[in-house]
Amino acid sequence: MDNKPYLKKVRDQYESYPYPFRDPSQESRRLVEIAIERIDLINFYCFKGACNFNKFRVLVAGGGTGDSIIFLAEQLKHTTAELWYVDISQASMNIAKQRAEKRRLTNINWLHASLLSLDENIGKFDYISCTGVLHHLDDPLLGLKTLKNLLNDAGAMGLMLYGEYGRTGVYQMQQLMKMINVNENQLADKVINTKKILANLPETNWFTHNEKFLVDHINGEDNGLVDLLLHEQDRAYSILDVYQLLEQSALKFVEFSDVKMRMSYRPEQYINDSSLLKTIKQRPIKEQHGIAELLVGAFKKHEFYASMNADTKASFTELSNIPFFFPSEHYKNLGHQLANAILASPNKVISMKHSSGFEFDLSASQLNYTIFKNIDGKNTLQMIFDEIRKELKSETLNNEQLVAYICQCFKPFIQLDWILLKAS
Ligand SMILES: C[S@@+](CC[C@H](N)C(=O)[O-])C[C@H]1O[C@@H](n2cnc3c(N)ncnc32)[C@H](O)[C@@H]1O
């Protein structure tokens, strides 16, 4: 471990304060679900819905106290997928291992090492998760390139990097605490001093302005406070910086993994003037994201999938794909429920509210009734379209028209990841 490339000061920090704070005894009570690591979402966005996860190789780089590796291993425990965890912090790895033991997970390989030391000897991976790690490296680009070199040609990554503007105030606080703590050697004493400063932070302080978005120091025990305000190596990125980092690594941005985040990066959420909006919507998508980020100012992180390939998302034009409501464990019967709701109020409008808070109207038409009745996680699009033609006694509705109808009328469901696709 000691000859390998990593920042000693970062390792020391995570040995004393593993992040995020996790108590392995809690595993018997709850599973921490990490949105970006949901395999249905990874499959839909990164593998055209066509991955069956057998012999699937996963690397969690900088796995910390285990949130990502545990959630992935739980979802993949009935497959032949092979998972690898890597971190420089032994203390963090011990916590992650204890969590896995509590859950009797046996599909994880553990490596106490720097991600920068990984090479072809470990083999290539289909999916690499690296959340909240690259921005703590001396050279994040080198870190990303190292991981990209470990990716299979058709592989994908789940990445999270800090957002520059949403973290306004954090770096002033880090600098302030460095000055105040200049003569302190113990991290525990630095924590005490930080709490003293936080207790009487002037209203004008930039961190005070931003504190309602940045709560790790309140909700995350001392580990959260250290990670946020006393970090030894920490930087943040604008979304345009993120695109540049990806381009320099020959990777492509696939999609934001979180629905709220994805919707919030759309300028149309904030700009009412139609001619100004039209001009902005003509700009490349990354510039639209950059404009939304500066407009909102509160995105504290960028969480997204990346791949070497451009076209990795499952498509509604592939009629052998199966639509299903996501997350499937929450919405097993939603198709039938919506069909019944349409029956109860034909030709009216049904108000829909997604768990992310977004609302939209759904027309209670005969066509929608037939579609919903048939979305059961088993029927392919082709089967649903055939059923529509049979029930509506319409030979004139062809597949292209029905694809266009679904993409248009079901747009909110698709945008909100409420309906995903998997290959049959
Ligand atoms: C903020 S924590 C994030 C943990 C986890 N990925 C998550 O999202 O919960 C950063 C982790 O990266 C690890 N780390 C930092 N530099 C590393 C390196 N060069 N190689 C491997 N892990 C590293 C730290 O030890 C720490 O556990």
Side-chain angles (χ1 to χ4, degrees):
M1 188 56 204
D2 285 340
N3 308 326
K4 305 294 188 217
Y6 64 87
L7 291 170
K8 186 177 174 309
K9 58 186 182 179
V10 171
R11 179 184 166 190
D12 289 348
Q13 177 191 316
Y14 286 110
E15 292 298 5
S16 309
Y17 291 90
Y19 180 88
F21 176 83
R22 291 288 177 242
D23 172 2
S25 71
Q26 295 285 320
E27 288 312 307
S28 51
R29 266 164 255 153
R30 54 103 184 89
L31 173 65
V32 178
E33 295 185 2
I34 305 297
I36 193 170
E37 315 295 13
R38 281 195 167 269
I39 60 170
D40 284 341
L41 211 57
I42 294 171
N43 195 13
F44 176 79
Y45 279 109
C46 305
F47 299 100
K48 293 189 171 227
C51 186
N52 66 10
F53 295 101
N54 279 322
K55 305 244 167 79
F56 191 75
R57 295 193 81 232
V58 175
L59 170 68
V60 179
T65 47
D67 283 0
S68 288
I69 196 83
I70 297 292
F71 189 45
L72 283 162
E74 267 294 339
Q75 295 172 90
L76 293 169
K77 67 183 175 189
H78 300 303
T79 69
T80 53
E82 178 186 312
L83 293 95
W84 287 76
Y85 164 106
V86 176
D87 203 291
I88 50 171
S89 159
Q90 183 70 58
S92 302
M93 186 164 104
N94 289 346
I95 294 168
K97 267 184 160 176
Q98 285 169 37
R99 293 176 70 187
E101 277 160 23
K102 284 261 173 220
R103 294 187 163 274
R104 299 201 167 86
L105 292 168
T106 54
N107 49 356
I108 306 171
N109 299 280
W110 302 95
L111 211 53
H112 180 217
S114 169
L115 66 88
L116 295 166
S117 71
L118 300 178
D119 57 26
E120 63 277 6
N121 289 324
I122 194 172
K124 296 256 180 176
F125 292 91
D126 300 296
Y127 178 69
I128 299 179
S129 156
C130 190
T131 60
V133 181
L134 293 172
H135 45 233
H136 297 316
L137 303 183
D138 187 30
D139 183 349
L141 179 58
L142 177 65
L144 187 57
K145 285 181 173 173
T146 305
L147 295 178
K148 186 236 159 191
N149 289 338
L150 296 172
L151 208 55
N152 274 327
D153 287 347
M157 285 191 189
L159 298 169
M160 187 278 272
L161 288 155
Y162 287 152
E164 181 180 348
Y165 312 114
R167 281 170 70 87
T168 297
V170 169
Y171 297 97
Q172 289 97 318
M173 280 299 286
Q174 288 185 5
Q175 203 180 338
L176 169 68
M177 292 320 304
K178 277 200 174 100
M179 291 178 79
I180 289 174
N181 286 327
V182 71
N183 294 321
E184 302 286 5
N185 294 320
Q186 300 302 317
L187 203 38
D189 294 328
K190 295 182 187 180
V191 170
I192 292 170
N193 287 345
T194 310
K195 286 180 180 168
K196 287 179 185 165
I197 292 294
L198 282 173
N200 287 303
L201 215 49
E203 265 183 34
T204 51
N205 180 285
W206 283 111
F207 186 71
T208 311
H209 286 300
N210 215 356
E211 218 178 349
K212 62 175 179 287
F213 299 115
L214 297 155
V215 288
D216 246 11
H217 60 302
I218 299 165
N219 296 343
E221 310 278 330
D222 287 353
N223 308 49
L225 183 147
V226 169
D227 203 67
L228 186 67
L229 301 175
L230 294 173
H231 212 290
E232 292 290 348
Q233 177 77 21
D234 185 340
R235 71 182 72 177
Y237 292 81
S238 72
I239 189 66
L240 291 177
D241 295 336
V242 170
Y243 273 102
Q244 193 183 26
L245 199 66
L246 292 177
E247 278 158 24
Q248 288 168 331
S249 313
L251 285 163
K252 295 188 171 61
F253 179 90
V254 173
E255 188 51 277
F256 294 107
S257 53
D258 179 80
V259 160
K260 266 194 194 162
M261 200 178 281
R262 192 181 317 144
M263 300 299 271
S264 307
Y265 272 99
R266 294 151 49 96
E268 54 268 46
Q269 294 282 344
Y270 322 99
I271 296 174
N272 293 329
D273 184 277
S274 57
S275 74
L276 179 58
L277 183 60
K278 195 170 163 219
T279 322
I280 290 172
K281 291 299 283 179
Q282 282 162 358
R283 307 277 278 277
I285 195 79
K286 70 175 179 185
E287 285 181 29
Q288 294 182 38
H289 289 160
I291 288 168
E293 182 184 28
L294 280 162
L295 253 171
V296 178
F299 302 160
K300 55 185 184 173
K301 58 186 179 177
H302 314 288
E303 212 164 20
F304 56 94
Y305 299 118
S307 162
M308 279 183 268
N309 307 299
D311 183 19
T312 59
K313 193 173 152 186
S315 164
F316 281 84
T317 57
E318 178 52 66
L319 300 191
S320 62
N321 278 338
I322 298 172
F324 64 100
F325 290 101
F326 172 81
S328 48
E329 68 271 22
H330 296 166
Y331 296 122
K332 267 199 183 76
N333 298 318
L334 186 58
H336 269 104
Q337 286 165 358
L338 286 174
N340 287 338
I342 290 173
L343 267 190
S345 48
N347 299 321
K348 295 220 173 95
V349 161
I350 297 176
S351 301
M352 299 294 300
K353 185 166 185 186
H354 185 248
S355 55
S356 59
F358 287 95
E359 296 178 31
F360 60 94
D361 287 339
L362 176 71
S363 148
S365 65
Q366 174 70 28
L367 180 53
N368 284 352
Y369 166 79
T370 311
I371 294 174
F372 283 122
K373 199 177 70 169
N374 286 287
I375 297 184
D376 61 357
K378 293 185 196 98
N379 290 331
T380 63
L381 288 166
Q382 182 67 65
M383 288 153 89
I384 296 173
F385 293 174
D386 290 343
E387 199 57 35
I388 290 171
R389 281 186 281 265
K390 207 166 90 193
E391 282 211 11
L392 272 61
K393 298 191 177 53
S394 168
E395 290 304 321
T396 51
L397 273 176
N398 63 33
N399 285 345
E400 287 77 47
Q401 287 168 321
L402 286 171
V403 168
Y405 177 81
I406 291 222
C407 290
Q408 184 52 39
C409 294
F410 283 47
K411 205 169 172 183
F413 282 98
I414 299 167
Q415 280 176 334
L416 294 170
D417 292 337
W418 212 347
I419 293 181
L420 297 184
L421 295 170
K422 60 185 173 192
S424 49

